[in-house]
Amino acid sequence: MPTHRNWAGNIQYSARAYHRPTTVAELATLVAGSDRIRAVGSGHSFNPLGDTTGDLVTLAGLPADVRLDEERRTVDVPAAMRYGDLASWLHERGYGLANLASLPHISVAGAIATGTHGSGERNGNLATAVAGLELVTATGELRTVHRDSDDFAAMVVSLGALGIVTRVTLDVLPTFDLRQYVHLDLPRPALDEALGSAYSVSVFTDWRSTRGTQVWRKQLADAPAPPAGWLGTTAADRPCHPVPGMPTANCTEQLGVPGPWHERLPHFRLGFTPSSGDELQSEYHLPRADAADALAALDEVAHLIAPVLQISELRTIAADDLWLSPQYHRDSLAIHFTWIADTTRVLPVVAEVERALAPFAPRPHWGKVFTTAPEAIAATYPRWSDFTTLLHHLDPTAKFNTPALNPLFPR
């Protein structure tokens, strides 16, 4: 069984029992017989979204077969598979995924359920690659949904509230190569152009000065190299880590060396500690058009942010039509915070960040630390009431509810 804490160590799971089924039938029996049950993946949620007072289930014991359909350009994978393992498997066969998150250690089903994302103004979040899902619903029924199924758009980014996903079908494309360049000291007026300058872009800042800014550009390998002095920056002449002081060996290769998509899109290598490893995280998604005003609002509270911050990351993600996706119907800017691992000091600052961003209708990342009131979150999602109706239909006894879901969907 996995540890009884999440990856960050800030959440102690409160489950009464832990299970590792080896067949879907065994899982279905567990679900049907439990009053409270939840699946745990890689544990990369920083809030109690994956917790339960009932039965906690790991899917790592289910069949681990991966099925590639070259005619349909899809791959069918077990829910517990890590993106990094899937990416290597696909690349060996000449295929890839359109995007990856910043770390490859996360499970496929967990990342999709929470709307986890990579970057790129024309790239959707990871859930937009989903072509189908297999899940066990509250009655123990095994249900399969595809893009043409009713309620598909509700069931992909579903926070694990509609059932336990056992397999996921993803769109694939031919494998491709990227080059990763890091640029230092980006002037704030050039931020907008920088964010749209490559296949995937991340801008890191410490909220102290532009002198701490890094731009990580992941461009297609056949695109021209950036010129000297690109947008007023200085090209890094050695590998960098987003978090000051952390070992650069943990990061994917930089300095423009070409390499396959799965070794450049993440910031961190699969076999190494991602990020700083000792941290809390928050992230907010707001309309891309409001980026300049939102960052100016955060400048007003930068003196509060900086003392408890390790690093902040800015990324863009394309709009989609998934009901609870943070990018639902709006191209988005994601503002991410990697905090120090001190909940008491961090939470008051999180509240100040949320106050500053409130005029821009931010949507918190479902798997990270936030204090936004449930009604404020619901107001930013046009299909919230429709999702609630479907939730009550598929899980009338709140079997899949958690301490994080209870305030959002009270029964």
Side-chain angles (χ1 to χ4, degrees):
M1 284 299 301
T3 177
H4 295 180
R5 288 184 177 271
N6 65 340
W7 175 78
N10 67 309
I11 301 294
Q12 172 72 51
Y13 296 139
S14 51
R16 67 190 171 209
Y18 297 82
H19 306 271
R20 185 187 174 101
T22 58
T23 66
V24 173
E26 185 182 350
L27 172 64
T29 299
L30 278 170
V31 172
S34 179
D35 62 334
R36 292 287 184 273
I37 193 166
R38 214 41 202 181
V40 61
S42 54
H44 274 82
S45 287
F46 292 79
N47 64 46
L49 186 64
D51 196 11
T52 180
T53 56
D55 299 296
L56 200 62
V57 179
T58 175
L59 304 183
L62 295 184
D65 56 312
V66 181
R67 309 163 194 161
L68 179 65
D69 188 326
E70 297 188 82
E71 182 177 347
R72 289 188 171 88
R73 291 282 182 92
T74 61
V75 63
D76 184 72
V77 305
M81 191 171 197
R82 297 187 302 174
Y83 266 100
D85 297 324
L86 171 61
S88 297
W89 189 96
L90 284 173
H91 178 67
E92 289 173 0
R93 290 157 179 80
Y95 289 94
L97 300 170
N99 215 349
L100 289 171
S102 60
L103 60 157
H105 308 66
I106 53 179
S107 67
V108 171
I112 287 165
T114 54
T116 296
H117 59 93
S119 182
E121 295 206 330
R122 290 179 293 279
N123 299 325
N125 67 33
L126 302 186
T128 60
V130 176
L133 294 171
E134 177 187 274
L135 71 161
V136 176
T137 60
T139 60
E141 174 192 3
L142 184 64
R143 179 172 177 179
T144 302
V145 294
H146 301 286
R147 279 203 178 100
D148 57 354
S149 301
D150 292 341
D151 301 323
F152 175 79
M155 300 185 76
V156 181
V157 182
S158 65
L159 317 183
L162 303 180
I164 295 180
V165 173
T166 55
R167 298 193 68 86
V168 181
T169 303
L170 300 170
D171 295 328
V172 297
L173 69 168
T175 191
F176 58 101
D177 286 347
L178 295 168
R179 298 177 188 267
Q180 181 166 226
Y181 294 92
V182 176
H183 306 264
L184 308 177
D185 305 332
L186 178 77
R188 174 69 72 82
L191 175 65
D192 193 72
E193 184 176 352
L195 286 169
S197 68
Y199 187 88
S200 174
V201 179
S202 291
V203 177
F204 294 94
T205 178
D206 59 9
W207 290 104
R208 290 177 174 87
S209 72
T210 57
R211 300 297 298 175
T213 301
Q214 297 181 20
V215 184
W216 289 42
R217 298 178 62 258
K218 303 159 192 285
Q219 66 176 54
L220 294 173
D222 58 1
W230 175 80
L231 295 184
T233 64
T234 301
D237 59 3
R238 67 195 67 185
C240 297
H241 192 293
V243 180
M246 294 298 296
T248 59
N250 294 14
C251 297
T252 49
E253 192 157 7
Q254 302 157 30
L255 302 177
V257 178
W261 59 281
H262 68 291
E263 294 180 358
R264 296 297 181 273
L265 283 173
H267 302 329
F268 307 104
R269 301 176 191 265
L270 183 60
F272 293 82
T273 299
S275 193
S276 76
D278 189 17
E279 67 201 67
L280 299 173
Q281 294 182 9
S282 299
E283 187 174 72
Y284 302 91
H285 302 257
L286 46 129
R288 175 72 176 83
D290 291 335
D293 290 340
L295 295 176
L298 288 178
D299 285 338
E300 298 298 315
V301 293
H303 64 289
L304 302 175
I305 295 171
V308 294
L309 184 74
Q310 298 193 54
I311 201 66
S312 185
E313 181 179 10
L314 311 178
R315 286 179 285 179
T316 54
I317 311 101
D320 60 58
D321 62 357
L322 305 174
W323 292 5
L324 291 191
S325 164
Q327 288 76 50
Y328 180 77
H329 282 193
R330 66 189 199 189
D331 293 332
S332 299
L333 174 74
I335 305 177
H336 179 276
F337 301 90
T338 297
W339 307 109
I340 62 173
D342 187 333
T343 302
T344 301
R345 292 181 62 193
V346 165
L347 283 183
V349 179
V350 167
E352 288 299 316
V353 166
E354 291 170 351
R355 182 192 60 76
L357 293 178
F360 311 104
R363 295 167 176 167
H365 189 299
W366 293 116
K368 302 190 187 295
V369 174
F370 60 88
T371 65
T372 311
E375 58 271 20
I377 297 174
T380 69
Y381 285 93
R383 302 300 298 268
W384 189 271
S385 62
D386 296 324
F387 182 86
T388 301
T389 298
L390 179 64
L391 172 62
H392 289 179
H393 172 68
L394 290 179
D395 185 19
T397 63
K399 181 172 291 193
F400 301 115
N401 244 16
T402 74
L405 289 178
N406 289 336
L408 295 167
F409 305 103
R411 303 297 182 99

